[in-house]
Structure formats: C-alpha cells, structure tokens
C-alpha cells in the first residue's frame, strides 16, 4: 500500500520541480488566472454563466481538481526548448522534397499531401514559437486583465437581461490567492426580479397571415406568464417564418418581424 503512495508523491514532486523550471512571466498588466467564480446568483445556474465567459478567459484544466496545471507546464517547456533555426531547416528540406516530388515522374498525391501537412506544421511552429507536439499536448497559460474582466461582466449582465432579469447587475473583480502570483476572478451577480409576459399581442396588417397565426396559436412559443426570454422571442420569430413559408409565403423572412416591450 505504501509503495504506490510513494510513487504518487514522487510524481507530484517531479511535476512541481518541472513547473518551476518552465514558468513564463505574465504580460504587463495581466494576472495569471487560476479560477473563475460566481457569487450571488440564485435562479440562474453557474454552468450557464460559465458558458458566457470567452474561451480565452477560461481557467486552465486541472486534472482531478488538483491544484496543478500539467498541460501548462508542457506548453511552457515546449516554448522554452523550441529551436527555431532547427525547425526552419526541417521546413526548407520538406519544401525541397515537395518540389522534387512534383518534378519527378513518380508523383504521388498521398505523399504530397503528407509532406504539405508537415510543411504546415513547421510554418505554424515557427510562427507561434512552439512545436506542433507541445502545442497540442500542452495548454497555453491563461492571463487576465482588469479590462477583460469588466467586459466579461458586461456580457454576463446582458445575458441575464436577455433571460428576463432586466434589472440584473454584475460586478467583476480579481483577488490574489495563495502565496504564488495566482489570481481568482469573482463575478458578483445581483439577479433582481425576473420579468414575465403579462399580455401578448400580434399586430398583423395582412389578413391572410393574421388568420394563419390565429389558427396556429396553440403552437406559439410565447405565452403569458413565461419569463421574458430574448432567445425564446427569436425562436418564435423563426417559427412564424417557417409557418408562413409552409403556406405559400416563400420569400418571408423573420427579419420582417419586429417586437416591442412595455412595462406597465
């Protein structure tokens, strides 16, 4: 029982040492992002809000929720050990090989495609300063700045607004966690009251279209009492478009439909 435990400790110690040797300092006015967290939400799930955060601002992966980021270590190692001159030499050889293949009598499409993939990888590696292998095995460290945090807070607030929380407020802030230069981002959410649909009116000038909508009213996606959800409104517009196209209005587009909201 003790031996496997010692192996795990040895592995973790090795990873820690490996990470120390391959740290890359953060860009100016940026913090190393360790975790995104949400506070104050009640009716909206945290998982929904996490999807609104831009991919470039999502925390790095941590296996088994351990406080380690091995994929970042591999990425940093790949950058630190990358030899641009050596890669440029490989690129030049592959370019010559492709030219010779095209000029020869035994041209192979499959072989040419394989060489072209190699060329693309070498060109990308030189451009990014890291080999294809480490760029795919590893994961680039995520850094965050105050301006980006505020922009994401605004995106989250707009999402809540579109979900019917018309008075929602979201504040973003960063704070240092632990002894290392790691920062958590906290989004403090005040949902407020969710606005619901009290009355629903369809104003249609064309009598034929109006009749079609009245006959199909049981399939409406918007009903009194429902939350005022922007995506649901857009879905109803698409439903109306399809209904009309199925009944001879082939050029109808949901962009012809406008809607307004009043709060009384």
């Amino acid at each position: 029982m003790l031996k496997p435990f010692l192996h795990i400790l040895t592995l973790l110690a090795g990873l820690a040492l490996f990470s120390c040797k391959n740290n890359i300092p953060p860009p100016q006015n940026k913090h190393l992002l360790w975790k995104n967290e949400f506070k104050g939400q009640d009716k909206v799930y945290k998982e929904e809000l996490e999807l609104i955060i831009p991919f470039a601002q999502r925390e790095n992966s941590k296996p088994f929720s351990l406080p380690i980021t091995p994929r970042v270590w591999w990425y940093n190692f790949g950058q630190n050990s990358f030899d641009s001159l050596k890669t440029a030499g490989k690129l030049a050889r592959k370019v010559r090989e492709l030219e010779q293949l095209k000029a020869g009598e035994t041209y192979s499409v499959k072989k040419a495609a394989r060489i072209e993939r190699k060329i693309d990888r070498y060109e990308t590696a030189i451009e990014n300063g890291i080999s294809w292998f480490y760029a795919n095995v590893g994961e680039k460290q995520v850094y965050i700045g105050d301006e980006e945090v505020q922009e994401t807070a605004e995106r989250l607030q707009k999402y809540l607004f579109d979900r019917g929380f018309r008075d929602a407020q979201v504040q973003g802030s960063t704070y240092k966690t632990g002894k290392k230069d790691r920062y958590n981002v906290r989004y403090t959410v005040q949902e407020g009251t969710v606005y619901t649909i009290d009355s629903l009116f369809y104003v249609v000038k064309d009598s034929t279209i109006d009749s079609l909508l009245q006959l199909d009213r049981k399939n409406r996606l918007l009903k009194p009492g429902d939350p005022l959800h922007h995506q649901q409104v857009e879905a109803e517009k698409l439903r109306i478009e399809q209904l009309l196209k199925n009944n001879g209005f082939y050029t109808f587009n949901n962009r012809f439909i406008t809607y307004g909201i009043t709060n009384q």
Side-chain angles (χ1 to χ4, degrees):
M1 293 292 293
L2 184 59
K3 193 171 183 180
F5 181 68
L6 290 175
H7 285 320
I8 293 173
L9 287 178
T10 303
L11 175 62
L12 292 176
L15 288 173
L17 180 61
F18 180 74
S19 67
C20 291
K21 290 183 176 181
N22 293 287
N23 285 334
I24 293 178
Q28 189 175 8
N29 299 323
K30 298 275 188 177
H31 305 304
L32 189 155
L33 174 64
W34 189 245
K35 185 179 179 181
N36 287 309
E37 59 185 38
F38 300 91
K39 182 180 179 182
Q41 76 279 3
D42 179 37
K43 300 180 180 67
V44 179
Y45 292 112
K46 181 187 76 169
E47 290 76 13
E48 290 182 67
L49 301 176
E50 287 176 338
L51 292 174
I52 307 303
I53 295 179
F55 185 78
Q57 296 179 29
R58 297 181 187 179
E59 62 198 65
N60 292 107
S61 57
K62 304 176 185 71
F64 308 110
S65 299
L66 293 172
I68 54 174
T69 53
R71 292 191 65 192
V72 172
W73 306 341
W74 283 114
Y75 191 94
N76 291 346
F77 177 79
Q79 278 195 318
N80 289 333
S81 61
F82 181 68
D83 190 331
S84 58
L85 292 177
K86 186 177 179 180
T87 306
K90 291 180 179 180
L91 172 62
R93 286 193 292 273
K94 284 298 176 183
V95 170
R96 286 196 300 269
E97 184 180 349
L98 182 61
E99 292 173 348
Q100 291 170 1
L101 179 64
K102 289 181 177 180
E105 298 179 357
T106 58
Y107 178 76
S108 168
V109 174
K110 187 180 292 186
K111 187 175 181 180
R114 189 164 57 247
I115 296 172
E116 286 171 349
R117 283 197 297 272
K118 282 281 188 181
I119 290 173
D120 287 340
R121 287 183 181 182
Y122 290 142
E123 288 177 341
T124 303
I126 292 171
E127 181 181 349
N128 296 330
I130 185 172
S131 70
W132 177 89
F133 174 79
Y134 286 112
N136 285 271
V137 172
E139 189 177 77
K140 194 172 183 179
Q141 175 66 62
V142 178
Y143 297 101
I144 195 78
D146 294 338
E147 186 175 336
E148 293 165 320
V149 171
Q150 295 310 314
E151 288 175 357
T152 300
E154 291 172 7
R155 289 181 61 157
L156 291 166
Q157 186 167 309
K158 183 182 183 304
Y159 172 76
L160 292 170
F161 182 90
D162 292 340
R163 280 285 313 273
F165 297 92
R166 316 290 279 190
D167 300 324
Q169 296 290 323
V170 180
Q171 299 294 329
S173 60
T174 59
Y175 67 92
K176 194 172 182 179
T177 175
K179 296 180 180 180
K180 297 183 179 180
D181 291 329
R182 299 170 176 173
Y183 284 77
N184 287 355
V185 177
R186 175 178 292 166
Y187 295 103
T188 304
V189 180
Q190 294 179 344
E191 293 172 341
T193 304
V194 60
Y195 283 55
T196 57
I197 299 172
D198 177 67
S199 305
L200 189 64
F201 303 97
Y202 287 69
V203 181
V204 186
K205 294 181 180 180
D206 188 292
S207 59
T208 305
I209 293 178
D210 186 47
S211 297
L212 285 170
L213 294 180
Q214 291 300 326
L215 289 171
D216 195 59
R217 63 186 302 156
K218 66 178 181 180
N219 294 318
R220 288 178 179 177
L221 300 178
L222 299 174
K223 297 178 176 62
D226 288 348
L228 185 57
H229 199 313
H230 174 73
Q231 289 183 348
Q232 200 72 352
V233 173
E234 293 300 315
E236 173 67 358
K237 288 170 63 177
L238 288 171
R239 187 193 70 83
I240 293 172
E241 177 185 327
Q242 194 59 53
L243 172 67
L244 296 182
K245 285 182 175 179
N246 291 342
N247 284 274
F249 294 86
Y250 303 116
T251 60
F252 188 85
N253 192 289
N254 71 83
R255 289 187 303 229
F256 302 157
I257 304 172
T258 59
Y259 69 94
I261 301 168
T262 57
N263 183 19
Q264 297 179 346

